[in-house]
Amino acid sequence: MSIEEKLDHLLCSWARELGEQGDVVISSRLRLARNLRGLPFPQRASEEQMEKILAELEKAAGSLKQPMRLVRLDQIDPVDRLVLVEKHLISPQHAEDPQHKAVILREDEAVSIMVNEEDHLRIQTLLPGLSLMSAWRLADAYDDEFEAQLSYAFDEHRGYLTACPTNVGTGMRASIMLYLPALIVVDQARKVLSALAHLNFNVRGLYGEGSESQGGIFQISNQVTLGQAEEEIINTLLSACRQVIDHERAARQALMRESRQQLEDRICRSYGVLANCRLLNSEEALRLLSDVKLGVDLGIIEDLPAQVAKELLLLTRVGLLQKVIGKDLNPGERDYYRAMVVRDRLSAGKTKSET
Amino acid sequence: MSIEEKLDHLLCSWARELGEQGDVVISSRLRLARNLRGLPFPQRASEEQMEKILAELEKAAGSLKQPMRLVRLDQIDPVDRLVLVEKHLISPQHAEDPQHKAVILREDEAVSIMVNEEDHLRIQTLLPGLSLMSAWRLADAYDDEFEAQLSYAFDEHRGYLTACPTNVGTGMRASIMLYLPALIVVDQARKVLSALAHLNFNVRGLYGEGSESQGGIFQISNQVTLGQAEEEIINTLLSACRQVIDHERAARQALMRESRQQLEDRICRSYGVLANCRLLNSEEALRLLSDVKLGVDLGIIEDLPAQVAKELLLLTRVGLLQKVIGKDLNPGERDYYRAMVVRDRLSAGKTKSET
C-alpha cells in the first residue's frame, strides 16, 4: 500500500484538509453531553446497566437515517484505541479502561459518539478550519435524531443533566484548535491567551493542559454551559478566537517585515532536519513540523502542499505511526520509523506538487 | 561566472582534490626557512635592506626554469591577503603588516614563497592528501634552484641559520593536516594526539593553536629541525601519522558497527541544515561540513562528489566568501551569503553527480 493510500485509510478529513482560515485554525470541535433518563451516570452504574446503555445506543445508532455502527473499545487493539485518542475521536480517559465502553463513528470521522465515558453519550463533531457553527449544526442534527429514539435526562430549569455539574445546561463544549507560532516567537502568546482566560474561556495545549509550548498549538473552549443558548456561546467563542487569529496574523506580518532572514533560516533549517534526519522523537517532530507549517503558510516553503505538515503532526504520534508502519514498534524503533515516515511524506509531497 | 568557474579561479589543487588517503588526510605541507648571507633577519633589517632582499628574490624567482612572479603584499587588497592566509599560502603574521613583504606564488599554488616573513625566504609546498615526501622533493628542488642563484646563510655545524633557533639546522617544518571526526566522537582524539606530543610532534587546530575541536581538523608537524636529515624527520612524522590514520579508521568502523543510526542521523541532519539554512556562521559551517565530509567518506551521503565538502571548508571562510560573492561583505551579510554559497554548491554538486 502506498503512503498516499495509507493516509486515505488512516486520516480523516479534519486532519487532511485545511478548511477555512486553515493557516491559523487547525480544527473546530463540538460535543454534547447527554444521559438517558432513569439510569445512573456511568461511574455509578453497574455492569448490567452499562451493558443496557450500550445496547440502547447500538440500536439507536443502527436506526439513524445513515446508520452507524457501535464499536466496543474492549474488542479493539490497544494501538487502535490510542489512534482514536490521537485523532481526537475519543478522550484518553475513555481509552484507558475500555470495559463496557464504546465509540460510534461516522465513516468520515466527522462525527464520533463516546458511549459510557463520563456521560452515557457524548456526541462529538470535528471539522477542519474555523467551522464551529457547522460543527454545532452537525452535532445538533445527530442530537435530534438520537433524542427522537431515546429518553434524555432533562430538567426544565437546569437543562440537560450531566455527570459533572460543569456541563449541566447545554451540555455543550465547543473548542477551536489554533496554531499560534508567531505569537510564541514574539512572546505575546501568554498575554493574548491569558486575556481569553479572563473572559472565562479554557486554554490548553494540543493534548490537554500543560502542553503550552508544543508546536504552538492551543485549544480554546467555553467554560460556561448554563444560562446561555448554544449559538450565543459559540458566537462569543468565535469572536474571541477571531481576535486571537488577528493577533497571530499581525505577529506573522511583523516577523516577515522585521526579521525575515531569521524566520526563513529557522523554518528552512527545520525543514532540512525533517527531510534528512534518521532519528526523530515526537516532541521534536511536533516542533519542527510546526515551523514547516508556518513556512508553507507564509510562502517561505513553496513546493510543499499545505496539508502535508498538518497530516504529519498526526502521523508522527506513537499510535498512528505504528499503523502507518504496519507493526508494533518498541520505543527504540519509533524514532527511526518516525524519521522515515516524515522523510517519505515530505519527499512524496514535494514530488506531487512538482507534477 | 558560474560557481564552477569561480572555484577554478579561487581554489588551488590541494583544496579541490582529495589525494592519497583523502578520507583522513586533507593536505601535506612542507616549508624550508632560508636566509641570505650578510643581511640581518627581517625583524632587524632596515627598510633598505628589506627592499634589497625583495629585489634579490624577485630576480631569482624570475630566473627560475619556470619563472615565478613576486607579489608585494602592500600592493594587494586586504581581502586578497586574507584569502592567501585562508588558503595557507602565507601566514597570518605575514599578512598582518604587509610593508616590504611579498609572496612568490606558482600558478597552481602548490609552491608559495614568503619573502621577509620571519626569515628572508620560506619556501612552502602544499599538496592534497598524504604526499609529504612529494612535498619535500618539490620544496627541495626549488630550494636547489634558489641556492644556485643566492648565497644562503649556512653553517657547517649548525646547518641553515634561521631567525628563530627552533628552525636552525634543516630549517624544515613538515606538517600533515588530518581530519579526525570519529576519534572526537568516540572521545579518543585527545589520547591519540597527546601521544604524538610526547613523541615531540606539534599538534594544532586548523588555523593554529587552541582550535582543537573545530571540525575535527588537526595539523601535526615536526618539532625537531636539527640533528636529523630531512627524509628521516619526514619518515618519522609519516609513520606517526599513519598510526593516527589507523586509529581514526578503526573509530569510524566502530561507529558504523555500533551506532550507525546515531551516526547517520547526525550526518544527515548536518547535511539537511547546510542544504536549507539561510544564515550560517563560519564556526557552524566548519562543524557541519566536517560531518558531511565524513558522511561522504563513509558512503552515508551517496550523491555528493567527495571534494565538495572539502572545497566548502575553504569557501566559507570570510575572505574567500567575499571573493566568491564578488564584493565586500559586512559581518551582518556574511552569514546570509555563506548560507547561500553552501546551498548553491551542495545543490550544484548533487546535480553534477546525477548527470
Side-chain angles (χ1 to χ4, degrees):
Chain A
M1 208 190 282
S2 77
I3 193 163
E4 285 287 334
E5 288 168 325
K6 273 192 185 153
L7 283 179
D8 290 340
H9 182 65
L10 288 171
L11 291 188
C12 35
S13 75
W14 78 264
R16 304 204 66 189
E17 289 162 23
L18 290 181
E20 209 179 315
Q21 316 228 25
D23 56 334
V24 182
V25 185
I26 294 181
S27 60
S28 301
R29 196 148 54 119
L30 195 134
R31 69 115 168 97
L32 300 171
R34 300 291 185 254
N35 289 279
L36 305 184
R37 189 181 297 274
L39 282 164
F41 295 127
Q43 244 187 328
R44 291 170 163 260
S46 66
E47 297 196 354
E48 289 75 18
Q49 288 169 322
M50 286 175 89
E51 287 299 323
K52 187 169 163 18
I53 295 160
L54 283 172
E56 282 208 40
L57 262 297
E58 182 159 29
K59 188 167 160 250
S63 311
L64 294 169
K65 269 180 283 179
Q66 292 186 305
M68 295 201 284
R69 202 165 59 84
L70 177 142
V71 177
R72 293 184 68 108
L73 292 187
D74 54 6
Q75 284 176 5
I76 62 175
D77 283 343
V79 68
D80 289 315
R81 291 199 292 272
L82 181 56
V83 164
L84 290 171
V85 173
E86 288 171 352
K87 290 160 125 183
H88 298 276
L89 298 171
I90 66 174
S91 65
Q93 298 74 28
H94 201 45
E96 224 159 66
D97 172 21
Q99 298 302 313
H100 313 294
K101 292 178 180 173
V103 64
I104 298 167
L105 263 185
R106 198 168 82 169
E107 204 173 351
D108 68 357
E109 299 183 353
V111 183
S112 69
I113 296 148
M114 290 192 285
V115 183
N116 285 336
E117 204 242 25
E118 197 178 282
D119 297 292
H120 293 160
L121 64 158
R122 287 191 157 189
I123 302 167
Q124 281 200 127
T125 52
L126 182 51
L127 297 174
L130 193 65
S131 49
L132 198 54
M133 206 50 94
S134 308
W136 154 243
R137 290 197 191 106
L138 187 61
D140 191 36
Y142 277 88
D143 187 38
D144 287 348
E145 276 208 75
F146 277 108
E147 197 162 17
Q149 300 185 61
L150 304 166
S151 179
Y152 280 165
F154 183 81
D155 178 285
E156 277 297 322
H157 298 288
R158 287 179 290 173
Y160 293 100
L161 302 181
T162 55
C164 178
T166 59
N167 291 316
V168 166
T170 57
M172 184 184 81
R173 182 82 67 224
S175 75
I176 295 179
M177 200 180 283
L178 294 173
Y179 168 62
L180 309 174
L183 284 178
I184 288 182
V185 172
V186 302
D187 202 19
Q188 297 267 318
R190 191 175 300 273
K191 194 180 133 202
V192 169
L193 294 171
S194 72
L196 286 184
H198 283 299
L199 293 168
N200 281 329
F201 295 109
N202 283 316
V203 179
R204 294 169 161 201
L206 176 58
Y207 284 93
E209 319 219 20
S211 48
E212 178 178 333
S213 65
Q214 280 202 340
I217 295 173
F218 298 89
Q219 290 179 68
I220 297 167
S221 61
N222 64 307
Q223 273 178 12
V224 173
T225 57
L226 190 65
Q228 284 187 316
E230 288 86 348
E231 301 207 353
E232 195 181 341
I233 295 170
I234 290 168
N235 278 325
T236 316
L237 180 60
L238 278 173
S239 141
C241 281
R242 285 205 181 90
Q243 287 185 38
V244 178
I245 294 168
D246 288 345
H247 279 295
E248 168 66 18
R249 292 239 173 83
R252 291 184 188 188
Q253 291 317 311
L255 286 175
M256 286 292 269
R257 209 168 44 237
E258 288 153 29
S259 45
R260 180 163 184 150
Q261 277 186 0
Q262 286 72 17
L263 185 68
E264 288 186 348
D265 183 53
R266 172 184 160 156
I267 285 168
C268 293
R269 280 169 181 255
S270 294
Y271 176 83
V273 170
L274 286 173
N276 289 279
C277 67
R278 294 296 185 271
L279 294 170
L280 183 65
N281 69 38
S282 58
E283 206 174 307
E284 189 185 13
L286 185 55
R287 185 167 54 75
L288 299 179
L289 285 166
S290 171
D291 281 346
V292 167
K293 173 165 165 52
L294 181 62
V296 172
D297 290 336
L298 290 175
I300 290 170
I301 298 175
E302 286 182 334
D303 46 359
L304 193 73
Q307 77 278 12
V308 169
K310 188 176 177 182
E311 290 171 8
L312 282 173
L313 282 172
L314 273 178
L315 283 190
T316 51
R317 313 297 305 180
V318 169
L320 275 157
L321 179 65
Q322 296 183 76
K323 299 303 281 187
V324 174
I325 299 302
K327 62 176 180 184
D328 288 351
L329 301 173
N330 65 45
E333 295 169 324
R334 288 173 197 162
D335 291 356
Y336 174 80
Y337 282 103
R338 183 178 291 111
M340 196 181 81
V341 165
V342 170
R343 286 200 314 277
D344 282 3
R345 187 72 196 109
L346 286 180
S347 116
K350 280 223 167 188
T351 314
K352 203 179 169 187
S353 80
E354 277 163 14
T355 54
Chain B
M1 207 190 283
S2 77
I3 192 161
E4 285 287 334
E5 288 168 327
K6 274 193 183 152
L7 283 180
D8 290 339
H9 183 64
L10 288 171
L11 291 187
C12 34
S13 75
W14 79 264
R16 304 204 66 189
E17 288 162 24
L18 291 181
E20 208 180 315
Q21 316 230 25
D23 56 333
V24 181
V25 186
I26 294 181
S27 60
S28 300
R29 197 148 53 121
L30 195 134
R31 69 114 168 98
L32 300 171
R34 299 291 185 254
N35 289 279
L36 304 184
R37 190 182 295 272
L39 282 163
F41 296 128
Q43 244 187 330
R44 292 171 161 257
S46 66
E47 297 196 355
E48 288 75 16
Q49 288 170 321
M50 286 175 89
E51 287 301 323
K52 187 169 161 22
I53 295 160
L54 284 172
E56 284 208 38
L57 264 296
E58 183 159 30
K59 186 167 161 255
S63 310
L64 294 170
K65 271 179 282 179
Q66 292 186 306
M68 295 201 284
R69 202 166 57 85
L70 178 142
V71 177
R72 293 183 67 108
L73 292 188
D74 54 6
Q75 284 177 6
I76 61 175
D77 283 344
V79 67
D80 289 315
R81 290 199 292 273
L82 181 56
V83 164
L84 290 172
V85 172
E86 289 171 353
K87 290 160 128 185
H88 298 277
L89 298 172
I90 65 173
S91 65
Q93 297 74 29
H94 202 45
E96 223 158 66
D97 173 20
Q99 299 302 312
H100 312 294
K101 292 180 180 170
V103 65
I104 298 168
L105 263 185
R106 197 167 84 169
E107 204 174 350
D108 68 356
E109 299 183 352
V111 182
S112 69
I113 295 148
M114 292 192 285
V115 182
N116 285 335
E117 205 240 25
E118 198 179 280
D119 296 293
H120 293 160
L121 64 158
R122 287 193 157 188
I123 301 168
Q124 282 199 128
T125 52
L126 183 51
L127 296 174
L130 192 65
S131 49
L132 198 53
M133 206 48 94
S134 308
W136 153 243
R137 292 198 190 105
L138 187 60
D140 191 35
Y142 277 88
D143 187 37
D144 287 348
E145 276 208 74
F146 277 107
E147 198 162 16
Q149 301 186 61
L150 304 165
S151 178
Y152 280 165
F154 183 81
D155 179 284
E156 278 295 321
H157 298 289
R158 287 179 290 173
Y160 293 100
L161 302 181
T162 54
C164 178
T166 59
N167 291 316
V168 166
T170 57
M172 183 184 81
R173 182 82 67 223
S175 75
I176 294 180
M177 201 181 283
L178 294 173
Y179 168 61
L180 309 173
L183 284 179
I184 288 182
V185 172
V186 303
D187 202 18
Q188 297 266 319
R190 191 175 300 271
K191 194 180 132 203
V192 169
L193 293 172
S194 72
L196 287 184
H198 283 298
L199 294 169
N200 282 329
F201 295 110
N202 283 316
V203 179
R204 294 168 160 203
L206 176 56
Y207 284 93
E209 319 220 22
S211 48
E212 179 179 333
S213 65
Q214 280 201 340
I217 295 173
F218 298 88
Q219 290 180 69
I220 297 166
S221 60
N222 63 306
Q223 274 179 12
V224 173
T225 57
L226 189 65
Q228 285 188 315
E230 287 87 348
E231 301 207 353
E232 196 181 340
I233 295 171
I234 290 169
N235 278 325
T236 316
L237 179 60
L238 278 173
S239 143
C241 281
R242 285 208 179 89
Q243 285 185 39
V244 178
I245 294 168
D246 288 345
H247 279 297
E248 168 65 19
R249 292 239 173 83
R252 292 184 186 187
Q253 291 317 312
L255 287 175
M256 286 293 269
R257 211 168 42 236
E258 287 154 29
S259 46
R260 181 165 185 148
Q261 277 186 1
Q262 286 72 18
L263 184 68
E264 288 186 348
D265 183 54
R266 173 184 160 157
I267 285 169
C268 293
R269 280 170 180 253
S270 294
Y271 176 81
V273 170
L274 286 174
N276 288 279
C277 68
R278 295 295 185 271
L279 294 171
L280 183 64
N281 67 39
S282 58
E283 206 175 307
E284 189 185 13
L286 185 54
R287 185 167 54 76
L288 299 178
L289 285 167
S290 171
D291 281 347
V292 167
K293 172 163 166 51
L294 181 62
V296 172
D297 289 336
L298 289 176
I300 290 171
I301 298 176
E302 287 182 335
D303 45 0
L304 193 72
Q307 77 277 14
V308 169
K310 188 176 177 182
E311 289 172 9
L312 282 173
L313 282 171
L314 274 178
L315 284 189
T316 51
R317 313 298 305 181
V318 169
L320 275 157
L321 179 66
Q322 296 182 75
K323 299 302 280 186
V324 174
I325 299 303
K327 62 175 180 184
D328 287 352
L329 301 173
N330 64 46
E333 295 169 324
R334 288 172 196 163
D335 291 356
Y336 174 80
Y337 282 103
R338 182 178 292 111
M340 196 181 81
V341 166
V342 170
R343 287 201 314 277
D344 282 4
R345 188 73 194 108
L346 287 180
S347 115
K350 280 224 167 188
T351 314
K352 204 178 168 189
S353 81
E354 277 162 15
T355 54

